[in-house]
Amino acid sequence: MPSKYILVTGGTGFIGSHTSIALAAAGYIPLLLDNFSNSDARVLQRLNNIIGTTPKLVEGDVRDTPLLAKLFGDYDITGVMHFAGLKAVGDSVADPLSYYDVNVCGTVNLARAMKASGVKTLIFSSSATVYGEPESSPIPEHAPFAPANPYGQSKAMSELILADLHKSDPTWRIARLRYFNPVGAHESGLIGELPQGKPNNLMPFVSQVAVGIRERLTVHGNDYPTPDGTGVRDYVHVMDLAEGHVAALRHVTDNPGLLTLNLGTGVGASVLDVVNTFERVSGRPVARDMGPRRPGDVPAYWADPSQALATLGWKAKRGLDEMCADSWRWQALNPDAYDRRTRPRTTSTAV
Ligand code: WQD
């Protein structure tokens, strides 16, 4: 009976921690690897409250070759989900070498460790940023690569590397999953997005305004060629994303090959759609000002998710109301994130 250990790199991060819940629910054993560069180990206790057991965690970096060799030697790992990476678009422009080192060299190092151990099942966390500014939306998987920043470039390079790896040995089972805009939180409110410092992304900024941590939201541009002039994106609930990863793992386990899929809702929502929905579901005002466009932003893009439905039977189930309601519950219960001074107002024994 093959083991059910799935190595989850970046496992205490936003998407890695939520995916660990979906893995456990599907009968797998998540084995988390994280260097805590953008996460907090206290998520483990929250995961215990949700899953019922505390996932095994190894502190470390995917670029640490001896550590990876030890991990694959110590645990009977049946597959890997690779989330560990840097993901701030603006930071990547200022510090490209770190993005290529962590995201590209990290992926190469992980794949080499897998190859050496005979583990050839890999789910790779890619991004819609590989498309750059698309010619049109919805965007299909065969749309050309046109990354507009080193972050998107690092994901595109990693995808090409994995394609060459599969070409060299077709027994590899690889899924490259391109996320659009992951938002939301687990319905318990015990875990969620935990941006370090001032949030770059819209949803955490909106929730911090709603809870009173920040004064006002600046809407980056309201003169775009969109219905209300503000930027349009394909927001997808992080738990839909997590379930999509498990569906992809199941598929490639039975079907060696190279799978490339968009994970999005196929529905575009504007900045004001998000802000107004958030106000309605939270009952809290979100003060906003109209500001200038943000350099590097594109007016509008959303996914064509039909391939994920056809191949995996996966379709996002949670709409914008639920994304905002779950984001709000996480924020309201944890205004200071995992800081022990703030106990969630729930009956659970959460920390
Ligand atoms: C969404 C919309 C902004 C903040 C990023 C990265 C990448 C990817 C998804 C993983 C845009 C507007 C935002 C604010 C605003 N993740 N906005 N005021 O840029 O679409 O994509 O996240 O691959 O990390 O590409 O997401 O949330 O930053 O912006 O008006 O304070 O919200 O202009 O229209 P983005 P975002």
Side-chain angles (χ1 to χ4, degrees):
M1 176 74 175
S3 93
K4 291 270 191 177
Y5 271 118
I6 300 295
L7 176 64
V8 183
T9 75
T12 61
F14 177 39
I15 300 170
S17 56
H18 285 81
T19 303
S20 297
I21 295 168
L23 281 168
Y28 294 98
I29 307 170
L31 169 61
L32 313 187
L33 172 67
D34 211 307
N35 65 3
F36 306 123
S37 62
N38 189 28
S39 63
D40 187 315
R42 285 176 288 178
V43 73
L44 280 176
Q45 179 56 53
R46 301 296 180 89
L47 288 175
N48 178 291
N49 281 284
I50 296 167
I51 298 172
T53 59
T54 303
K56 177 76 182 158
L57 168 71
V58 174
E59 180 173 0
D61 191 303
V62 287
R63 294 167 294 175
D64 183 337
T65 305
L67 173 67
L68 290 182
K70 183 169 185 335
L71 262 180
F72 283 98
D74 289 353
Y75 295 90
D76 181 10
I77 293 167
T78 191
V80 179
M81 290 198 175
H82 181 32
F83 297 102
L86 303 178
K87 65 166 189 170
V89 167
D91 291 353
S92 77
V93 175
D95 182 13
L97 290 181
S98 293
Y99 275 70
Y100 294 128
D101 186 14
V102 175
N103 294 1
V104 181
C105 298
T107 299
V108 170
N109 208 47
L110 175 66
R112 297 190 77 157
M114 293 175 69
K115 182 169 186 275
S117 312
V119 177
K120 298 181 182 179
T121 301
L122 172 60
I123 309 300
F124 176 68
S125 166
S126 190
S127 165
T129 49
V130 301
Y131 298 118
E133 181 161 356
E135 284 166 21
S136 63
S137 281
I139 308 174
E141 285 85 355
H142 57 72
F145 272 174
N149 50 67
Y151 165 69
Q153 192 72 262
S154 73
K155 291 297 184 179
M157 289 175 179
S158 298
E159 285 205 20
L160 295 173
I161 288 165
L162 295 176
D164 284 344
L165 174 60
H166 174 261
K167 202 178 293 178
S168 74
D169 174 357
T171 64
W172 276 81
R173 300 169 168 81
I174 299 172
R176 304 178 299 184
L177 303 181
R178 294 173 182 166
Y179 315 155
F180 281 69
N181 287 55
V183 295
H186 186 261
E187 61 186 9
S188 64
L190 291 174
I191 64 170
E193 194 167 5
L194 198 58
Q196 311 285 314
K198 184 179 177 187
N200 291 306
N201 297 139
L202 178 65
M203 189 67 87
F205 204 108
V206 168
S207 67
Q208 289 190 9
V209 172
V211 81
I213 293 173
R214 301 197 184 276
E215 290 290 314
R216 309 178 70 81
L217 169 78
T218 299
V219 176
H220 295 323
N222 64 337
D223 59 350
Y224 283 110
T226 61
D228 64 17
T230 65
V232 170
R233 297 290 185 275
D234 183 331
Y235 297 97
V236 55
H237 197 293
V238 65
M239 285 311 296
D240 277 328
L241 212 53
E243 291 159 10
H245 281 70
V246 173
L249 175 63
R250 285 192 166 129
H251 179 84
V252 298
T253 300
D254 300 331
N255 303 274
L258 178 69
L259 189 58
T260 305
L261 295 173
N262 290 332
L263 293 188
T265 64
V267 176
S270 74
V271 175
L272 292 181
D273 287 335
V274 172
V275 175
N276 295 333
T277 302
F278 201 98
E279 284 190 325
R280 174 167 48 80
V281 302
S282 70
R284 292 292 185 93
V286 177
R288 78 295 296 264
D289 300 313
M290 297 301 143
R293 294 182 177 190
R294 181 173 65 175
D297 271 353
V298 299
Y301 67 76
W302 60 94
D304 172 353
S306 57
Q307 278 306 305
L309 180 60
T311 310
L312 305 180
W314 177 89
K315 182 175 169 60
K317 296 181 295 197
R318 301 162 176 93
L320 191 58
D321 278 35
E322 196 167 348
M323 295 177 212
C324 291
D326 290 346
S327 292
W328 173 239
R329 187 178 307 108
W330 152 251
Q331 184 71 76
L333 289 176
N334 305 274
D336 295 329
Y338 295 117
D339 188 300
R340 292 176 187 278
R341 288 198 310 276
T342 306
R343 292 194 173 282
R345 288 189 293 279
T346 61
T347 53
S348 78
T349 54
V351 289

